[in-house]
């Protein structure tokens, strides 16, 4: 009789271990993490991305931003120059906004009047500027991954990019792998 | 011998309780809920947001919409006026669409011809109008949260906004906190 | 005494079964799956959608794309014609891009110069063309669902759409139901 009870206990233990492993997998599959793919380079979209990112970081959510296509303009540093660019890369460099403070609005840009109005209102309302938001993002450990394919397409070079503590260069696979573990994913 | 068995059972119970607690945490971490951050104020984007929201509500998914930036135009009530606005707020009020029926298309707007065509086609195909969609959303308990920072930036006041049963005013932190528990999150 | 132990074991088993069922529900609630609602028809947005989709498929993530509104242009086949269209449907057909290679950029379109530059750079950098991406998507089993309401609104017909192995026609409810089970959801 004791043998029967022992067998039952052993079986319960095995099943419990199996459930525990599944629960661990589930826990790892959904981290308290925000993944954002930022494709747009409009001032309002970058502002929205940064406001959401800082709010998430304040809630102790790990934040991982993937910058690609037009959003690369927000990472350019006007004061840095890169050499050895071909003709088309130089053209892109001139035509695209040279830094985050020169981004356009997706709407009501009005030849630059719209962004000026928004910046004036942000200052007046005590909202952080984009520069301040990026600085705070760096301090809060928000990670920025720059899309390598976009860098190549637009002919941007690493030495033109802003100084940022957690910046790295990788492809879309990295975004997808990290996003699939994140509790929040957004495409902006 | 009995003592040994008793100890094993006690240990199994403790481990089972620990697993149960983890499972409860996991269940609470992902509710059958749709969180949407709506930044765009284009007619087509607002339409897409409402179509998806109503489809989700019909599937008994809780829906929480966070309206910010340009999307605030969709929540304005043309017939309501607010007093005590400064110059820039008045300008924004005039330049931005005065209500959801005056939204522009992101594409093919053609000075208002595009939206008219879409509205004509929606009526012809028996698709609900934006007015009807918002009314149904209210009846289905879809919650609308209006971004306070956007209200301040654009100088909109609560008394200018549409009558909607589940409307409240809060910041991006609220969006992030609710989105992290949601099974679906979208940025529009 | 033995009876007591037996009762305890039976109770443990029952509770363990209850936990197992909950874990199975949680596992089914979040599949390794990417759901994308693609509303934009800009070349850069469609490119981003396809790059992310192919990266996900390469990571063995199931990919389900829901094409609606402007993105339908990316699914048109220029060489196919549909009969029996009314006047407005014909107009839409003429005004919207006739196939994925005629899509515009959301930014810097410059009357078609921008897309030409991007295509040139993509070829030079060895990036797949949109045609190649759709072919690979079909081979990797990426599913395309076309929004029926958008088809009706714009007057597109099934016989005008590209040949694609996993194409079907359905509504937003289908998107929401599948997205709620997906580990990644994006709105583009």
């Amino acid at each position: 009789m004791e043998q029967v009870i022992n067998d039952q206990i052993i079986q319960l233990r095995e099943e419990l271990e199996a459930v525990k492993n599944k629960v661990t997998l589930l826990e790892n599959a959904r981290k308290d993490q925000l993944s954002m793919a930022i494709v747009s380079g409009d001032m309002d979209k970058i502002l929205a991305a940064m406001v959401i990112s800082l709010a998430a970081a304040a809630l102790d959510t790990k934040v991982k931003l993937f910058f690609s296509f037009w959003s690369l303009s927000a990472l350019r540093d006007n004061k840095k120059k890169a050499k050895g660019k071909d003709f088309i890369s130089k053209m892109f460099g001139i035509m695209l906004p040279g830094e985050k403070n020169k981004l356009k609005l997706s709407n009501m840009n009005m030849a630059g009047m719209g962004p000026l109005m928004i910046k004036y209102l942000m200052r007046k309302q005590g909202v952080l500027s984009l520069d301040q938001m990026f600085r705070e993002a760096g301090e809060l450990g928000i990670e920025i991954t720059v899309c390598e394919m976009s860098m190549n397409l637009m002919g941007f070079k690493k030495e033109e990019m802003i100084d940022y503590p957690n910046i790295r260069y990788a492809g879309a696979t990295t975004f997808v792998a990290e996003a699939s573990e994140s509790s929040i994913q957004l495409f902006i």
Side-chain angles (χ1 to χ4, degrees), chain A residues 71-139:
Chain A
S71 74
L72 263 54
S73 292
L75 300 178
R76 292 176 77 190
D77 184 334
N78 237 350
K79 294 184 292 289
K80 297 186 184 174
K81 299 290 167 208
K83 283 179 184 167
K85 286 195 173 192
D86 60 22
F87 177 69
I88 291 211
S89 298
K90 277 185 195 157
M91 271 183 63
F92 263 111
I94 292 166
M95 291 186 301
L96 290 170
E99 57 148 342
K100 61 178 114 45
N101 292 313
K102 302 212 166 153
L103 301 177
K104 294 176 182 172
L105 284 177
S106 68
N107 219 329
M108 299 233 304
N109 190 61
M110 304 179 295
M113 268 292 291
L116 285 182
M117 275 170 71
I118 297 280
K119 278 179 217 165
Y120 165 79
L121 290 167
M122 284 169 69
R123 251 196 323 274
K124 203 180 143 196
Q125 298 287 343
V127 177
L128 294 185
S129 71
L130 266 183
D131 274 325
Q132 290 168 318
M133 286 188 191
F134 272 85
R135 209 172 307 130
E136 198 168 314
E139 282 164 15

Side-chain angles (χ1 to χ4, degrees), chain A residues 9 32 50 61-62 83 93-94 135 142 146 153 163 170:
Chain A
I9 287 178
D32 197 10
M50 295 310 288
T61 299
K62 181 116 194 96
K83 283 179 184 167
I94 292 166
R135 209 172 307 130
I142 291 177
V146 190
L153 276 185
D163 295 317

